[in-house]
Structures are given as C-alpha cells and as structure tokens.
Amino acid sequence: MSSDHKARWIQGISLVFFLGLSFSSFFLVHKVAHGRSQESFQVLVDQSLTSLDRRFEDYSRLLDGLNGLVIASDGITALEMSNYAKALNLSDSMLMLDAIGLASMAPQESGLHGHSVAFSAGVGQLESMPSMLQADHFIVQFIEPPTNLQKFLELDFASNPDLLAIAKKARDTGQTFVTGHSPDLVPQIGGTRMFMLKPIYKPQKGDFIGFAFAVLNVEDFFNGLTSAQGKMIEIQAEFNALTAIDRIKTLPATPIDTSDYSRRQSIEKFGQTFSIAFKSTPQFDAIQPFRARWIVLALGLLITTLVSTILRVLIKKSHTIAITIAQKTRDLETQDKEKRSILENAMLAILSVNKSGEILQANEAALKLLLPLTKHMRLVGKSLGDLLPNLDLQGVDGWSKLHVTSSIKTAEPLIIEVEKKTWFTAEGEERTTLLMRDITVTERHAKEIAEAEQRWNLALRSVQIGVFDIDLQRGTSVVSDTWFDNMHTVALPNCKNPYQEQMVRMHMDDLALFKKAERDCIEGRTERAEVRFRINVANDEWRWIKSDAVVVERAPDGTALRMLGIQTDVTETFKLERMKRDFVATVSHELRTPLTSIKGALGLLQGQSQIEKNQITDRLIEIALSNSDRLASLVDDILDMEKMNSGNLNVEVSSFSLNEILSDASQQIETYASQWNVGVEMLKPEVEQMISTDKKRVIQVLTNLLSNACKFAHSETTVRLTAEVLPTHIKISVRNLGPGIPEEFRNKIFQPFSQADNSNARQRGGTGLGLSISRTLIELMGGTIGFESEPDQETVFWFTCPLTETSEILAVA
C-alpha cells in the first residue's frame, strides 16, 4: 500500500472514530438531561398528588367534626351551625370550599319540603319516629355560609339521580363519598358543584340520621395545590362517569404527550375516580438542559472537523512535497533545453556578455541582426565593442538607442533599441544581458508620420479647420491645434476631454440645440450632427462656431463608440449672411412699393387703351403687366425664402373645404395655362372632405405646382389636378405629359435657385425658388411632398394634407 493510500485510510478511520464519539456523547448527554428533567417533573406531579390527597383528607376530617357535633348535641340550631362554620374559617380561600351543611330524611306527613323533623329535635327524639321518615328523600337543613348558596336550603337529593345514588350508597355502606360534577343543581346559583357526603348514625343503635356534607366548587377545587402550579406545571381533572365503587379502578401513570413533559394519573377518592392530567409549562421547558447535548455535539463536530482538516493539510502537504520534488527534478532536467529554446526562438536579439565585453551567448535573432555588421561568421567569443562601439557597458541599466554604422560599406546604417540588464552568477561573476531590437523601419515610419501630421496641421491651420476625435466609451477626446485656435483656448494640463470643456463657454440658448444634434447622431436618428453655436472667447465677445460630426464606429448592437468631426469659426461668414439677408429683405421691401404703383398705373392705362381700342398700346401694356406680375412674384418668393432662412415663415392652420381649395387654385391657373396651350382638368372627391391646412399657403403651393406643370407640358395636352383620400391624409397630385425631370437634377429639385440645365427649362423662365418654398410650407402644415417622373411620359408632383377629425371618421366609415 502506498503512503498516500495509507494516509487516507488513517484520515477516514479518525473521522469515523471522532464522529462516532461525538454522536455517542450527544445521545448520552441527551439521555441524562432528559432523565433529570423527567425526575424534576415527576417531583412536581408527586407534590401535586400529595397536596390533592391532603386536601381530600382535610375535607373528610372537617365532616368528621361536623358529625361529632351532631351526635354530641341534643339538637343543632342555626346559630350553632354558624358558630361552627366561623370557627372553621370557611371564608379562607386556602380551603377551596364553598360551604358545609347538614341534610336529613324528609317526614312523611310534611311532604318533600317540610321542616317538622330537624336536627334541632335531638337524637333522643328521633329514636321514637323512624317510621315517619321517607327513606329516599334527603333535605338540606343547614348550610354555612349561606351567602350566595341560600338556594341550596331545602334541596332534595332526590331531584338529582346521581346525587341520590351516591347518597344512598353512602347511607348503606357508612362510607364518605364524593359525587360527580353536577352542573346547575340549583339553576339560580350557577356553576359546577360536587358534594362530599358523610352519613351520620345514632351512637348505640346505628340508625341513620342524615348527612354532613361539603359543597366543593369544581372550577376551584384543583387549583392552588402547589406553589409551582401555573408556573411550572398545569393540572386538568376529569370525573369518571361510573358511580359504583366495585367498578372503579386506579389507572397507572402514563405519558400523554411525547412532545413535552406530561402525565395522566387516575386516582380513587371517596368512591369517585378522578383522571388528572399533568403538563409542563413553557417556563419549565425553558429551564431544562436541552442545549447541553447540542453543545456537546457541536464541540464533537468541531473537534472532528479540526482533526480532519489537520490530517487533510498534512496529507496534502506531504503530497505537495512529493509532487514538488518530482517537478523540481524534471525542471532541473529540462531547464537548460528550455532556456536555449527561448533564446533561439525569441524575436528579440539576446546577447550575454561578461564584464570585459566578450560575447558568451547569442540567439538566432542576434546573429541575424549583428552578423551583417561584421566580416566574421560567428559572434560567440568576439568583443561587443567591435560591433557596437557606442554602447556603454559600464553605464546604468535601462533602455538606450544606438545609431550603428557597419564596417562593411554595402551594409545600411541601423537604429537599434537596446535594454541592458546586469546580474551576477552564483560565483559572483558579473554578467550583462542585452535585449536588442532593430527599429530602423519603425523610426523611419514615425518620422514620416510626424512629417505628415505636420503637413496636415499646416493645412488645417491654413484653412482654420479644427478637428476632434471623441472616444464615447472612455469619455476622452483628441483635438487638433487649430481646434484650440478656433475655440480661442489652450490645452489644459491633464485634461482628457478638451472637447467637453467647450460646453462651459457655450451660449445657453445654443447648448440644448447642440446637445440634441449630437444625441440624435449618436443614437442613429440622423447621419450627421450639424449645428452652429456661439462661444464666449473673452470679455463677453461671442464667436459663431459651425460643428459637423459623424459617428465612425459602432458596436454590433448599434452603440456609438467613436465620433469624428470638424469645427470652424464662421463668425465672419455669419455676419456676411446676415448682411446678405438684410440686403435682400431691404431690396425686396423697397421693390414691392414701386411695383405696386407700376401695376396700378399699368392697369389704369390698360383700361384707357381698351376704351380707345389701340391694339399696339394694348400689347405693350399687356407685356408690361406680365413682367410686373413676374417681378412681383419674384419679390414674394425672395421674401418667403428670407423668412424660411430666418425661421419666421409661419402658417395658420385651420379646417377648410378641399373642393373649395381645388376650385380656387384651378381658376387662378386657367389664364396662365392658356398661354402654354394646355388645358386644366380637376377631379374632386365624391364626398366632401375637410383638411387641416393654411388655405392661402396651400393655394400658393398648388398654383406653383400647376404653373410648373403647364409650363413644361406638351402643347395641347391636359394638366390634371386630383385628390386621393387616405386614412388620415389627403394626397393631392398634379399630373402632366412632358419631357420629364432629368435624372441628374432629381436630387436637388427642391433646393433654392435650382433649375434643370437644359435650353427648354431656361427658355421657360423661373427663379428656382417655388419648389423649395412649397416643400417648406407643406412640411410646416404637417404634410409631405414628392414627385415621380419618367422621361417623355407622365410627371406627377404630389403632397399630403392632414384630414380633420370629422373627415377621418367619415373616411373610416
């Protein structure tokens, strides 16, 4: 058997031994403690039974005294009975006695409730009239104390069969008997009572005279037997229903409940059997030594655990020592091979030299690095100073960088990174280990990157574009020098997120807009975060900054990881734009007034010319009015565009009739359509619809779309205006047959001042503002706008308007 198996056998046997000892001690202590507790409980039971027996004997002696009083007296009076009761001190609560009294047989001529024969007649007088008494009727003559029990007077024992049976048995046997519990013998008194009856006989002849009796309250009789009752022990009593003495047996004491300390004892006293249950109280249970066995068991288990742990540690330690010895032996055998394998396969060049600089060992990487620098075929045994003359072996340990020029003219100069580490052998001889890495290419690339970065910085600085790179995971950012210039700030020391610092100096009115644009881009709702904001540079001087950022890296779940962007100072540009807007607004407003006057004057001239019927003048006036209308329309478009740019283009949305809007728009465009030799057809919905819109603005959009459709439709074709009822919107479409929209122009058709670059479009005129203004108006009114077009076929421009609630209900129905 191996030593390991032997140690495990010893551990198992020890564990079984200590566990057995622990549980044996547990059961032994439990048995001893339980036995002592049973003995203590039995003492309480014995004390209670002894006290109960003494209480019965006291009552019996009390009745003996009353019997002697009757026999010794010629006649008992109520006063003598009262004095006797006072002498006994019946009111003492320790007696647990309600009353004592005398009962005699009833005379025949007096009926059941007569008083012609009483104890007051004396014993001598009763000798001459035994034939006058009724043998089965016993009447209570005296009872003391009479308080609360006065109703017992004149009680006939024959009124209760059990009481009468016990009385006759006592009379016939001459023994003292106790009746069973008799509830409500006298209903007016209440409660449960029992009687102790002692027969009284004549001294010489032995003739029966009556009974001396005691009235016992069943509820109080079994209380106060010992001082421990109610504290340490509880007592309950039951009466045996049998009354015949020869059928009563005393039962042995047996446990009634195994969960606590209890006994049931049946005893016979004065012809009655009492079944008495004794049970411990929680107070008694609490003081028993129940915890001792658990303490012993816990200590035994603890000792077992400690012994087992000690044995396991010793076994494990022995096993570890054996494994360590075996492992060390294998390590010593393979250490040299492992060292050589590491040295030979290392990517770094490794040299080991002595104090004089002689190379003692070199790996494969060192041969590849250093052999091109010398004419020799091997390195071991050569002087390191011949290969690396700039290396100081006597200097401090650490990293250094060497520029090496080979003795061979064809070899390229190298840049080598060297780490020097000095150590000592077991004999105290100094050794030096050198780790070397060729960083020539790395240094060249780093130089190129630095030069490229410098060129980029110069380029960014020339155009004043600040670049930032944000790591959203780590909460850090990197910014360019021009970013600091544009933000009119400097880099703070140890600041990991300079991009975040701009928030502190940002204008409060722009901060929420900036954060929203950035959040929408990060969460993927928009592709770019484009926003302009003001920043405080110094002395309450505010500069306008334009920021444009995109998310360039996201996690697989869509979480943004990295954001790149640029920021430029657009303060001057912003000022120029504002000057341009102010100039356009001023010019437009200044043109509106003279145009109105010109149109009015031309209208008057047209009316006068029609009266004079001068065709040449009519034509000139018509041309002037047409150009005035075009110029007025241009001014209105410019003003609307200015309102769009400034954010002041408003709409007043209300509920209007769709058919009415379509009719008004088609009527306004009829004259214009006739100029291009096209017709206008309107198709109204069969059911009247109410739309939520700005009537003036939606007619402006319709006339713009209709005029474009007429202008670019083929001659002698029809422009159709239709409306389609959707669940929550109305889709209004304008259709024409014409050349269509060129493919290269479709992506910018809604941009301001946009026109298709062909001769046909240029000839038909226009400012290129109508569609841009129309899109803005439709979106402000809660709709969308779009188009479908095919070359030389039908072109459709459409937009939607929300239905009012009433129209939605009708449409669903």
Side-chain angles (χ1 to χ4, degrees):
M1 181 182 293
S2 65
S3 59
D4 184 60
H5 287 172
K6 184 177 181 181
R8 294 190 180 278
W9 269 103
I10 295 174
Q11 182 186 15
I13 294 173
S14 301
L15 182 62
V16 171
F17 173 76
F18 281 101
L19 283 176
L21 183 63
S22 299
F23 281 100
S24 299
S25 302
F26 170 79
F27 289 114
L28 179 61
V29 172
H30 172 69
K31 183 176 181 180
V32 172
H34 187 70
R36 291 183 179 179
S37 299
Q38 291 287 1
E39 292 175 359
S40 300
F41 184 74
Q42 187 61 43
V43 170
L44 295 177
V45 172
D46 293 342
Q47 290 176 353
S48 301
L49 291 175
T50 301
S51 178
L52 181 63
D53 187 69
R54 187 182 300 113
R55 181 171 291 182
F56 272 114
E57 293 300 327
D58 290 342
Y59 292 161
S60 177
R61 285 194 294 272
L62 186 148
L63 294 181
D64 286 342
L66 185 58
N67 191 355
L69 178 64
V70 171
I71 294 175
S73 176
D74 292 336
I76 297 298
T77 64
L79 180 61
E80 291 176 336
M81 189 68 184
S82 176
N83 292 335
Y84 181 72
K86 292 178 180 179
L88 294 176
N89 195 13
L90 291 180
S91 60
D92 188 359
S93 60
M94 296 298 293
L95 290 176
M96 299 298 176
L97 187 67
D98 277 5
I100 60 174
L102 296 173
S104 63
M105 290 186 294
Q108 293 180 1
E109 63 276 11
S110 62
L112 295 179
H113 303 291
H115 286 274
S116 59
V117 176
F119 283 97
S120 58
V123 175
Q125 296 178 8
L126 289 174
E127 292 178 0
S128 60
M129 48 182 179
S131 60
M132 299 173 60
L133 301 178
Q134 301 186 46
D136 293 337
H137 293 278
F138 307 102
I139 305 300
V140 176
Q141 299 293 326
F142 298 103
I143 189 165
E144 287 292 337
T147 305
N148 298 328
L149 297 175
Q150 189 67 29
K151 298 295 183 178
F152 272 112
L153 289 176
E154 301 183 13
L155 172 67
D156 188 354
F157 287 2
S159 62
N160 187 292
D162 292 336
L163 179 61
L164 179 61
I166 295 297
K168 292 170 69 176
K169 187 180 295 293
R171 180 195 63 188
D172 296 340
T173 60
Q175 299 178 7
T176 301
F177 283 98
V178 175
T179 66
H181 61 289
S182 300
D184 298 336
L185 279 174
V186 179
Q188 295 82 353
I189 296 176
T192 302
R193 304 293 192 282
M194 66 179 181
F195 282 74
M196 177 179 282
L197 303 177
K198 185 175 185 63
I200 304 175
Y201 298 93
K202 296 177 182 178
Q204 291 82 12
K205 298 182 179 182
D207 293 335
F208 175 74
I209 300 176
F211 292 100
F213 65 88
V215 181
L216 309 178
N217 190 321
V218 175
E219 286 78 2
D220 297 334
F221 181 74
F222 292 94
N223 290 334
L225 293 176
T226 64
S227 59
Q229 187 174 351
K231 297 179 180 179
M232 297 294 179
I233 192 171
E234 294 179 354
I235 302 175
Q236 294 180 348
E238 297 178 0
F239 290 85
N240 194 320
L242 302 177
T243 57
I245 295 177
D246 56 352
R247 298 176 63 185
I248 297 177
K249 296 181 180 180
T250 300
L251 301 177
T254 57
I256 63 172
D257 192 349
T258 58
S259 62
D260 53 13
Y261 296 95
S262 57
R263 292 287 186 275
R264 183 178 293 278
Q265 182 78 36
S266 295
I267 62 173
E268 181 184 344
K269 284 296 182 179
F270 299 106
Q272 186 64 255
T273 299
F274 300 93
S275 180
I276 304 175
F278 301 91
K279 185 177 181 181
S280 64
T281 63
Q283 184 176 354
F284 178 85
D285 295 339
I287 63 175
Q288 302 311 308
F290 293 141
R291 303 183 188 88
R293 63 182 186 271
W294 297 108
I295 295 174
V296 171
L297 180 61
L299 290 175
L301 293 176
L302 179 61
I303 294 172
T304 303
T305 303
L306 291 175
V307 172
S308 176
T309 302
I310 293 172
L311 290 175
R312 184 167 62 252
V313 170
L314 292 176
I315 293 172
K316 186 176 181 180
K317 187 175 181 180
S318 176
H319 182 67
T320 303
I321 292 173
I323 293 175
T324 303
I325 292 173
Q327 184 65 38
K328 289 296 182 181
T329 303
R330 290 192 297 269
D331 290 345
L332 291 174
E333 293 175 353
T334 60
Q335 186 175 13
D336 186 62
K337 294 181 180 180
E338 183 178 6
K339 178 182 176 181
R340 290 184 178 276
S341 175
I342 294 173
L343 292 175
E344 294 299 330
N345 293 288
M347 298 180 66
L348 292 176
I350 303 175
L351 291 178
S352 179
V353 299
N354 58 19
K355 187 175 182 180
S356 62
E358 180 185 355
I359 300 174
L360 302 177
Q361 193 173 8
N363 67 346
E364 188 68 24
L367 295 175
K368 293 179 180 180
L369 177 63
L370 299 179
L371 280 180
L373 302 178
T374 179
K375 297 178 181 180
H376 300 285
M377 301 301 295
R378 55 193 303 272
L379 294 179
V380 177
K382 303 300 179 183
S383 175
L384 184 62
D386 297 338
L387 298 174
L388 303 175
N390 297 331
L391 180 63
D392 183 11
L393 286 177
Q394 306 303 322
V396 296
D397 292 348
W399 289 92
S400 61
K401 189 184 298 184
L402 298 177
H403 293 265
V404 181
T405 302
S406 174
S407 59
I408 302 176
K409 295 181 179 181
T410 58
E412 296 182 357
L414 299 178
I415 302 176
I416 300 176
E417 189 176 43
V418 182
E419 183 182 10
K420 174 177 171 290
K421 178 66 177 178
T422 303
W423 54 281
F424 294 89
T425 64
E427 293 77 14
E429 186 178 353
E430 183 178 326
R431 291 281 192 273
T432 301
T433 299
L434 301 174
L435 302 179
M436 296 179 293
R437 183 166 63 97
D438 185 359
I439 60 172
T440 306
V441 177
T442 304
E443 287 289 307
R444 184 168 62 248
H445 289 169
K447 183 178 180 181
E448 292 174 355
I449 291 172
E451 292 175 351
E453 185 177 353
Q454 184 178 7
R455 288 195 299 270
W456 277 108
N457 284 332
L458 290 174
L460 292 174
R461 189 176 295 275
S462 64
V463 295
Q464 290 297 306
I465 296 177
V467 180
F468 58 86
D469 184 350
I470 307 172
D471 189 331
L472 298 173
Q473 276 190 312
R474 297 182 176 85
T476 61
S477 61
V478 178
V479 297
S480 65
D481 294 339
T482 49
W483 187 91
F484 286 109
D485 295 340
N486 290 341
M487 303 305 294
H488 298 272
T489 185
V490 294
L492 299 177
N494 301 324
C495 180
K496 296 182 179 180
N497 195 354
Y499 177 81
Q500 188 69 21
E501 296 298 323
Q502 68 179 337
M503 306 293 181
V504 180
R505 300 185 294 129
M506 192 178 297
H507 198 286
M508 292 301 297
D509 295 341
D510 302 332
L511 183 59
L513 182 64
F514 176 84
K515 289 184 176 180
K516 181 180 183 303
E518 191 177 64
R519 184 170 58 254
D520 290 344
C521 182
I522 291 174
E523 295 177 359
R525 289 189 290 271
T526 59
E527 293 183 0
R528 311 182 72 87
E530 296 182 276
V531 66
R532 289 196 300 183
F533 58 90
R534 287 162 289 179
I535 197 158
N536 189 4
V537 294
N539 299 325
D540 291 334
E541 178 185 353
W542 296 92
R543 305 287 295 180
W544 281 95
I545 305 296
K546 181 180 179 181
S547 178
D548 187 2
V550 294
V551 175
V552 296
E553 185 179 356
R554 292 186 182 272
D557 60 354
T559 303
L561 302 177
R562 186 182 174 201
M563 176 181 278
L564 291 177
I566 61 173
Q567 288 181 341
T568 56
D569 189 336
V570 294
T571 305
E572 301 304 324
T573 304
F574 183 79
K575 290 179 180 180
L576 291 175
E577 289 179 355
R578 185 167 59 185
M579 291 173 62
K580 183 190 70 173
R581 291 196 302 269
D582 293 343
F583 173 75
V584 171
T586 301
V587 171
S588 300
H589 283 288
E590 291 299 328
L591 284 175
R592 181 183 289 274
T593 301
L595 275 176
T596 304
S597 299
I598 293 171
K599 287 180 64 177
L602 289 173
L604 292 175
L605 287 175
Q606 188 180 35
Q608 185 65 30
S609 175
Q610 289 176 354
I611 295 174
E612 296 177 357
K613 298 182 180 180
N614 189 338
Q615 294 182 355
I616 297 176
T617 305
D618 288 343
R619 180 57 182 164
L620 293 175
I621 293 174
E622 184 179 349
I623 294 172
L625 279 173
S626 176
N627 290 329
S628 298
D629 290 336
R630 290 180 61 190
L631 187 56
S633 177
L634 175 60
V635 171
D636 290 338
D637 288 346
I638 292 174
L639 288 175
D640 286 341
M641 183 58 65
E642 174 59 26
K643 291 179 181 179
M644 287 170 50
N645 293 334
S646 62
N648 295 324
L649 185 61
N650 299 320
V651 295
E652 298 179 0
V653 176
S654 185
S655 181
F656 294 97
S657 170
L658 173 64
N659 291 344
E660 181 180 346
I661 291 173
L662 296 179
S663 298
D664 292 346
S666 61
Q667 290 175 5
Q668 293 182 20
I669 208 65
E670 285 179 355
T671 304
Y672 185 78
S674 62
Q675 297 177 10
W676 300 100
N677 194 24
V678 296
V680 177
E681 179 183 352
M682 178 185 63
L683 299 178
K684 300 179 181 179
E686 296 180 358
V687 180
E688 176 67 22
Q689 302 291 336
M690 301 299 292
I691 59 176
S692 179
T693 187
D694 185 327
K695 182 177 180 180
K696 177 183 176 182
R697 292 298 188 179
V698 80
I699 290 177
Q700 178 183 348
V701 174
L702 275 173
T703 56
N704 181 271
L705 295 180
L706 287 169
S707 64
N708 286 342
C710 294
K711 184 166 46 175
F712 293 100
H714 292 315
S715 179
E716 297 182 356
T717 59
T718 301
V719 174
R720 290 179 174 82
L721 176 60
T722 62
E724 180 184 357
V725 181
L726 301 177
T728 60
H729 289 72
I730 288 290
K731 183 178 182 182
I732 302 172
S733 302
V734 177
R735 306 170 185 269
N736 76 334
L737 294 174
I741 301 171
E743 186 70 30
E744 64 275 6
F745 180 65
R746 294 185 180 186
N747 60 348
K748 55 183 178 179
I749 191 169
F750 288 106
Q751 296 179 5
F753 303 103
S754 297
Q755 287 183 317
D757 191 12
N758 57 56
S759 59
N760 184 41
R762 295 299 179 185
Q763 290 174 0
R764 296 174 184 263
T767 62
L769 296 175
L771 289 178
S772 176
I773 296 172
S774 297
R775 182 178 67 175
T776 302
L777 290 173
I778 291 300
E779 291 176 352
L780 287 174
M781 292 184 288
T784 57
I785 188 170
F787 68 93
E788 296 96 22
S789 178
E790 295 183 10
D792 295 321
Q793 294 188 25
E794 187 178 59
T795 298
V796 181
F797 275 84
W798 56 265
F799 65 90
T800 61
C801 287
L803 284 167
T804 59
E805 294 183 0
T806 305
S807 296
E808 291 178 11
I809 296 172
L810 292 174
V812 173

